[in-house]
Amino acid sequence: MANTYQIYLISDSTGETLDRIFLATKAQFKDFDYENHQYSFTRTENQILKILEVAKKHKHSIILYTIVDSKLANYLETQTQKSKIPCIGVLGNLIENFSKIIKKTATHIPSAQYRLNDEYYEKIEAIQFTMNHDDGNSLNDIEKSDIILLGVSRTSKTPTAIYLANRGFKTSNIPMINENSIPEFLKKNPKKKCVVGLTLETKRLVEVRRNRMNSLKENHSIDYTNQEKIELEIKKAKESFQKYQWPIVDVTRKSVEETAASIIKIYEIKRENG
């Protein structure tokens, strides 16, 4: 515990951006012991002083911040220098340099990315659409989807769809039991929409399904976790994906974020190619 770093994440908004940057940063270091202290909506000098009073009590304190108000950011830098606490503005000179390149003055308004504009409402609409089209529901208007995910049970279709929705993509996901699970609209128009098949290695899928059943006490047939049946299930699904020439993403060693990134790339390539 003596070498545990106290990480103070100070943001003038929700802190979501800062949290993601820190997660990506700490992943690059092994055996890194730390305790995380998050401070959102920090917008006054008094708030900063109170945080520093806590930080000064620890030997290994580090401050990371995202504050767009340059005056308040300078105040934080000045106070941490006095206290000899390492302090890093994770956006650095990004806003200033970007401003010079595009020849526009930044507003320096906290939470500007959360304005209730058309883009924000489009995202909300995408989330609502995706929730209504989860697990094969509401197939009557599936043609309104930006992205359609297909895959056997427990191939991360729902969490991936929700993540994509938060990126603004209207996403439907359909469980693959057999080829009859595929809506007629997709069979007749296999290239009209961005359809992606999700798959998983057999042993991993067996493990995932068993854990799911045990943790949620779900009742399924014995075939649900039978390795030979699952292997055949995956094989048949892949054959269907290949028949209709739909790209396949193996999610075995991918996080939801990585899977979504691959799908977005597929979507962009399809859109570029018309």
Side-chain angles (χ1 to χ4, degrees), residues 15-264:
E16 182 181 358
T17 300
L18 184 56
D19 185 56
R20 289 181 179 179
I21 291 173
F22 175 63
L23 287 175
T25 301
K26 76 177 183 65
Q28 300 300 316
F29 301 93
K30 295 181 179 179
D31 303 320
F32 173 44
D33 295 324
Y34 71 94
E35 288 184 1
N36 202 354
H37 310 271
Q38 290 186 298
Y39 295 89
S40 303
F41 302 106
T42 305
R43 297 178 180 177
T44 68
E45 293 180 358
N46 189 47
Q47 286 176 299
I48 286 176
L49 289 176
K50 288 181 178 179
I51 297 169
L52 294 182
E53 284 301 315
V54 178
K56 285 189 287 188
K57 295 177 182 179
H58 300 283
K59 182 179 180 182
H60 300 293
S61 290
I62 300 175
I63 290 176
L64 306 180
Y65 72 87
T66 48
I67 296 177
V68 297
D69 183 331
S70 55
K71 181 180 178 182
L72 189 61
N74 289 336
Y75 180 79
L76 174 59
E77 291 277 3
T78 301
Q79 294 301 317
T80 51
Q81 286 174 9
K82 290 180 181 178
S83 303
K84 297 183 179 179
I85 299 174
C87 181
I88 304 169
V90 299
L91 295 180
N93 295 320
L94 175 61
I95 294 176
E96 181 182 346
N97 291 334
F98 200 78
S99 174
K100 290 177 181 177
I101 292 170
I102 66 174
K103 295 180 175 58
K104 289 184 179 293
T105 303
T107 61
H108 295 287
I109 298 174
S111 298
Q113 69 268 40
Y114 300 114
R115 286 182 300 176
L116 303 183
N117 54 15
D118 290 344
E119 184 179 351
Y120 178 85
Y121 287 114
E122 286 172 5
K123 180 193 287 190
I124 296 300
E125 184 181 353
I127 293 171
Q128 291 176 335
F129 180 92
T130 300
M131 297 302 292
N132 291 335
H133 293 75
D134 180 43
D135 205 28
N137 291 317
S138 301
L139 296 179
N140 56 311
D141 63 346
I142 195 172
E143 71 278 359
K144 294 180 181 178
S145 309
D146 296 316
I147 297 170
I148 299 170
L149 305 180
L150 293 171
V152 301
S153 175
R154 304 267 69 85
T155 48
S156 302
K157 295 186 299 299
T158 295
T160 302
I162 292 172
Y163 185 91
L164 288 167
N166 276 276
R167 294 289 300 273
F169 298 96
K170 293 180 180 178
T171 309
S172 297
N173 79 81
I174 303 169
M176 280 286 292
I177 299 172
N178 51 49
E179 191 171 339
N180 292 329
S181 305
I182 302 173
E184 287 301 317
F185 169 78
L186 295 183
K187 291 180 181 178
K188 293 177 181 178
N189 307 276
K191 292 296 184 180
K192 189 170 184 179
K193 306 302 296 186
C194 178
V195 183
V196 179
L198 302 185
T199 190
L200 196 67
E201 289 180 0
T202 303
K203 289 184 179 179
R204 176 58 181 154
L205 186 51
V206 171
E207 181 183 340
V208 169
R209 288 186 177 181
R210 283 177 179 168
N211 290 339
R212 172 82 176 186
M213 288 179 65
N214 291 334
S215 62
L216 298 182
K217 294 181 171 44
E218 292 181 339
N219 293 319
H220 292 278
S221 70
I222 193 170
D223 290 347
Y224 189 69
T225 55
N226 180 281
Q227 183 162 327
E228 290 183 2
K229 296 288 185 181
I230 289 176
E231 188 171 1
L232 180 61
E233 200 177 337
I234 293 172
K235 180 174 179 290
K236 292 292 185 182
K238 284 184 177 179
E239 288 175 352
S240 294
F241 301 153
Q242 291 165 351
K243 176 180 178 179
Y244 295 101
Q245 298 182 336
W246 292 325
I248 301 172
V249 175
D250 189 329
V251 305
T252 306
R253 294 174 181 82
K254 283 186 170 67
S255 64
V256 169
E257 293 85 353
E258 290 171 321
T259 300
S262 298
I263 293 168
I264 291 171

